[in-house]
Amino acid sequence: MTAAQTRAMESDAFARRAADAGDLMRRAGAAVMTAILQTWPELRAERPHDPRRALVLCGPGNNGGDGFVIARHLAQRGWQVRVLFCGEAMRLSPEARAAHDAWCVHGEARPVDPSDPGPVGASDLLVDALFGFGLSRPVTDHQPLLAALASARAEGRIAASVAVDLPSGLCADSGRALVGPGGRLIPADLTVSFHSLKPGHLLAEGPALCGRVMVADLGLAPPATAIRRSLWQARPAALNLAKAPGAHKYDHGHAVVLAGGPGAGGAARLAARSALRAGAGLVTLAPPKAAMPEHAGPPDALMRRAVDSAEALAEWLSDGRIRALCLGPGCGIARAEALLPAALDWGGALVLDADAISALASRADLRATLHPGCVLTPHDGEFARLFPDLTARMKAPVAPLSRLEAAQEAARYLGATILLKGPDTIIATPDHAIIHSRHDLGWLATAGAGDVLAGLITGLLARARAAPEACEAAVLLHAEAAHRIGPGLIADDLPEALPAILRDLER
């Protein structure tokens, strides 16, 4: 859920008297304490003669109220607790004020000037409850405090850190660090999110700052009007890729990959090989006639057919057995631009990648001819050429647009599916958006990996998968192949890893 959806859910629960803010704060504090003990079981043991030390940073809102509750739980377990309070007790909400007063029975809520915090000392555990999911502006006034704590963490003077909902200063929707030039946030070892993940846990700088993320269910039933399908986790149905016994190759579709001129065919061959591995019944590689000789090598399962003009492509696409077309990998911008009108007029499942996206960026008149069967697979640079206005909004210092929101706005504008590539890949249609976050696959940053992904999508579209479902399955297969191959991966390895993955799925 986004920040707005989370607020709507809580407000609805309060209006229906299904919960009150004070009770929710107590549940949140208890949930964080439980998560701490689950993550570090060694902290369960009490040490009367050598108490552990905790530093709890509390802010002026309800996130600070959660911090006061956590401080009380720690003190009751025998910890030596210091609370730094960036706020005024008289200006707290009634619920946060009650939590503040309950803590003050155990210890002091020491006011701290965030612009001049002084020495922060050493601690076994830091609890960051300064700002939560409602933050939308840069934390300029608090940068000295956050920098001092980040330095203490980096130098080992703070042994472990826990963020309440989000690391303070992280935007819940975009995953951007809301800091000024040179500003720093406190990286968390553990982040405890309430109700659900937020997009910011998965996007941009979020994964690097959040550490391990645990979700605490505080018992609210979210109203349907407050939640859209914005986050997605792997569903077995999306990977049900088995072929029915007795089916003919054309039952699984004919996919076509358009290739570029002489010396530029490798990307298209990677895409075509991947479409075959994804289960398309037949895949044809279609370079211009001058480039046909360089495509004579393996795999022999690929068909070849020369296509030199838009007219030749249009005539061929009239064959009703062709189900999916891929245009872009290694194609060359000029050739992609020449073939785009025929590919779009065809009206079938169409993957536009690489040079086709660049061609589309220079031909705004063609954007109106996109349709729901189109899939665009830009990386950030290509997306910026297509949508400079959305990219500028993503870079805004205040309330930045998230990659999730930008991709979905683009999908609505084009009436097509957008797959915005990256470690936080977004699959967006006009109706919903999906995050696939895998920041542990750095070896995928290699030439040709995107061509493999385009081919996987094309192969799955040829098998009559809907565009969003084909993208979901392709991204998951792509990531799993990279995970299994690991260090040293090159793009040629990815299609060859798929048979074992598909076999495991069938089991």
Side-chain angles (χ1 to χ4, degrees):
M1 290 187 288
T2 64
Q5 291 161 356
T6 304
R7 275 192 294 270
M9 183 183 71
E10 291 185 352
S11 297
D12 177 81
F14 299 155
R16 292 185 289 106
R17 297 190 178 181
D20 67 75
D23 181 48
L24 208 63
M25 198 170 286
R26 289 186 289 274
R27 291 186 218 170
V32 172
M33 191 69 232
T34 298
I36 290 170
L37 297 177
Q38 287 177 348
T39 303
W40 296 287
E42 66 274 16
L43 300 182
R44 293 178 181 273
E46 296 186 13
R47 300 192 309 191
H49 303 296
D50 181 23
R52 294 182 177 88
R53 297 162 298 168
L55 177 62
V56 182
L57 181 63
C58 293
N62 282 354
N63 200 247
D66 298 338
F68 292 125
V69 175
I70 297 163
R72 185 162 49 83
H73 278 286
L74 289 165
Q76 289 170 344
R77 296 189 70 87
W79 285 58
Q80 188 180 87
V81 182
R82 289 186 300 137
V83 172
L84 300 183
F85 179 33
C86 297
E88 300 176 27
M90 296 300 296
R91 301 181 68 175
L92 290 169
S93 70
E95 296 80 17
R97 177 63 187 271
H100 167 276
D101 294 347
W103 157 249
C104 287
V105 173
H106 299 272
E108 178 189 11
R110 184 168 76 82
V112 63
D113 181 352
S115 64
D116 185 20
V120 297
S123 297
D124 298 300
L125 180 70
L126 168 66
V127 178
D128 174 7
L130 181 58
F131 296 116
F133 67 80
L135 188 70
S136 60
R137 58 177 177 79
V139 288
T140 308
D141 296 343
H142 294 76
Q143 284 188 13
L145 172 61
L146 294 174
L149 290 166
S151 294
R153 179 74 187 91
E155 294 163 7
R157 289 183 283 123
I158 293 174
S161 60
V162 178
V164 179
D165 217 7
L166 290 145
S168 290
L170 186 71
C171 177
D173 290 341
S174 71
R176 287 264 307 277
L178 298 177
V179 295
R184 300 169 65 190
L185 301 188
I186 311 164
D189 299 296
L190 170 67
T191 296
V192 183
S193 177
F194 304 127
H195 311 303
S196 75
L197 289 171
K198 313 297 186 295
H201 293 126
L202 303 175
L203 297 173
E205 296 152 272
L209 287 166
C210 290
R212 181 187 181 191
V213 181
M214 296 177 69
V215 176
D217 180 0
L218 302 187
L220 299 191
T225 54
I227 295 178
R228 63 191 169 101
R229 180 185 172 219
S230 56
L231 301 181
W232 176 87
Q233 294 179 348
R235 296 169 299 170
L239 289 177
N240 182 15
L241 303 177
K243 288 188 172 184
H248 188 273
K249 63 187 176 186
Y250 281 108
D251 293 335
H252 298 294
H254 182 185
V256 172
V257 178
L258 292 160
R269 285 196 297 275
L270 279 171
R273 183 188 293 262
S274 302
L276 272 177
R277 290 295 192 193
L282 179 69
V283 179
T284 301
L285 193 61
K289 185 175 181 179
M292 280 289 283
E294 72 181 63
H295 295 289
D300 294 329
L302 281 178
M303 307 293 287
R304 282 89 172 168
R305 175 169 173 159
V307 172
D308 280 307
S309 66
E311 293 75 19
L313 177 61
E315 181 181 353
W316 185 25
L317 290 175
S318 64
D319 181 345
R321 294 177 297 181
I322 296 175
R323 282 194 193 160
L325 177 67
C326 179
L327 174 60
C331 192
I333 295 174
R335 177 168 163 82
E337 187 173 352
L339 298 179
L340 254 175
L344 289 167
D345 286 347
W346 172 54
L350 174 62
V351 177
L352 299 177
D353 184 52
D355 292 331
I357 294 173
S358 296
L360 190 66
S362 64
R363 288 287 305 274
D365 59 305
L366 290 177
R367 299 183 198 181
T369 63
L370 292 171
H371 53 80
C374 294
V375 176
L376 283 72
T377 59
H379 55 57
D380 285 343
E382 291 162 344
F383 188 85
R385 290 196 287 277
L386 274 174
F387 294 101
D389 53 336
L390 293 177
T391 300
R393 289 170 61 192
M394 283 195 283
K395 296 179 179 178
V398 178
L401 197 67
S402 72
R403 293 179 91 244
L404 179 79
E405 294 164 321
Q408 190 154 28
E409 284 200 28
R412 290 191 189 110
Y413 174 75
L414 296 176
T417 297
I418 299 284
L419 191 151
L420 182 54
K421 293 184 286 196
D424 45 359
T425 291
I426 310 297
I427 302 166
T429 73
D431 301 319
H432 67 268
I434 295 159
I435 298 173
H436 181 270
S437 185
R438 285 298 296 267
H439 288 249
D440 60 335
L441 300 176
W443 282 97
L444 263 180
T446 185
D451 304 315
V452 171
L453 180 60
L456 290 174
I457 298 167
T458 306
L460 292 166
L461 288 171
R463 297 183 63 185
R465 294 295 180 111
E469 184 183 303
C471 289
E472 293 173 20
V475 166
L476 286 164
L477 290 173
H478 194 245
E480 180 61 18
H483 175 72
R484 293 196 185 192
I485 297 163
L489 173 156
I490 63 172
D492 302 67
D493 300 329
L494 292 167
E496 308 316 308
L498 292 174
I501 295 169
L502 294 168
R503 184 167 54 249
D504 289 346
L505 288 171
E506 288 198 12
R507 287 174 180 164

